[in-house]
Amino acid sequence: DKHTRLENNNVYTSIFAIDEIDTLIKYYSYMKAQNTKEKKIMDQLFFQVKAIRKGIKPPRWRRAYVPGNITFAQMAAVLEEILDLPASEWYEFEFYNRKYRFIEWHEDDDKISDFYYTYLNAPDTFVNEWMLSNSWFTFRIRSGHEECPEYRIEIEKALSQIFLGKEKEPLTYPLILKEISIKEDDCWMGRTIVSINDILREKYFLRSEEHTS
């Protein structure tokens, strides 16, 4: 389920902050070869993303902070909660420009062949490299939920730390920042941003390595 996909995630804390994705890519390439304190910066990234529902007008979207240093399977759990999608093993991430798709591999999937796309197993792949080197991807539920909308996920910003409120508490869970929708929205009816954020804080709290055994 969504929670077990996140249970092994570790996120570090730091006051270091970089907003530009291009700068982060340079740091990532450099720090991969370094065994220094700064290398941990890359392990506690958050991404600011804008999830835009495809094929509908007027536009409907949600902006959120999502953690780095998690697998695509764990990211699927987070996005399903943020976007009011059903928990499913049949999710798919598509990086159109690089012609890769990430899925949760099943027995029948060994028959998948696509001339245009390479398929990788989502639970085995971490998001950092892909989200640092691409500006957007598509997130969808592949089957069993035919009426689920698809989303274009735009990667707006990468941050190594986010502080909340007057107390400047570090963010330790995914967080919805804003949405544009309509009152009659069939997909987002029944739950407010506040209520979803409460669930995200309760279910997907990101542990610091120093607090784990």
Side-chain angles (χ1 to χ4, degrees):
D1 60 22
K2 295 180 184 179
H3 185 69
T4 56
R5 286 187 233 163
L6 283 177
E7 63 183 3
N8 292 322
N9 179 58
N10 293 325
V11 173
Y12 300 90
T13 58
S14 170
I15 60 171
F16 192 91
I18 305 175
D19 290 350
E20 297 298 326
I21 290 180
D22 287 343
T23 304
L24 279 165
I25 295 171
K26 294 176 183 177
Y27 265 83
Y28 185 76
S29 299
Y30 170 75
M31 290 174 186
K32 280 179 69 177
Q34 306 294 316
N35 185 21
T36 65
K37 180 179 179 181
E38 286 80 8
K39 184 177 183 298
K40 291 185 178 180
I41 292 169
M42 304 310 300
D43 294 328
Q44 39 102 37
L45 286 176
F46 274 83
F47 295 94
Q48 179 177 303
V49 300
K50 182 179 181 180
I52 306 166
R53 196 179 306 165
K54 289 189 172 186
I56 194 167
K57 292 184 178 180
R60 302 172 201 182
W61 53 264
R62 280 180 176 163
R63 177 173 284 120
Y65 290 138
V66 297
N69 194 40
I70 61 176
T71 67
F72 278 101
Q74 294 168 324
M75 183 64 75
V78 171
L79 292 176
E80 286 164 0
E81 199 74 65
I82 288 173
L83 299 173
D84 280 323
L85 292 170
S88 174
E89 296 180 349
W90 299 98
Y91 58 82
E92 181 176 87
F93 295 82
E94 178 181 294
F95 287 82
Y96 175 80
N97 291 332
R98 293 179 65 176
K99 297 297 185 285
Y100 274 85
R101 288 173 175 167
F102 295 88
I103 62 173
E104 193 152 328
W105 211 255
H106 299 85
E107 290 184 6
D108 292 341
D109 289 334
D110 60 3
K111 302 175 183 177
I112 289 180
S113 61
D114 192 306
F115 181 78
Y116 296 102
Y117 287 90
T118 299
Y119 285 83
L120 297 177
N121 190 28
D124 294 336
T125 312
F126 282 80
V127 303
N128 282 20
E129 179 181 354
W130 291 84
M131 292 186 69
L132 285 168
S133 59
N134 293 274
S135 59
W136 66 279
F137 59 87
T138 295
F139 182 70
R140 62 172 68 96
I141 305 297
R142 289 193 293 151
S143 64
H145 303 280
E146 290 80 2
E147 297 182 4
C148 289
E150 293 187 8
Y151 288 88
R152 175 187 171 99
I153 311 295
E154 296 184 350
I155 305 164
E156 297 182 323
K157 189 181 298 187
L159 300 164
S160 68
Q161 185 57 289
I162 302 164
F163 295 99
L164 301 177
K166 295 180 180 179
E167 302 298 324
K168 299 298 182 181
E169 291 292 329
L171 182 64
T172 54
Y173 54 91
L175 182 72
I176 300 174
L177 302 172
K178 183 178 180 180
E179 75 171 28
I180 296 295
S181 187
I182 59 175
K183 292 182 178 179
E184 296 79 16
D185 193 318
D186 292 334
C187 296
W188 289 350
M189 290 181 64
R191 295 204 301 174
T192 65
I193 288 180
V194 172
S195 66
I196 299 174
N197 282 339
D198 286 341
I199 293 171
L200 291 169
R201 181 172 58 248
E202 179 181 351
K203 295 176 67 175
Y204 304 133
F205 180 82
L206 304 169
R207 300 184 301 274
S208 172
E209 184 185 63
E210 62 211 39
H211 294 111
T212 59
S213 57

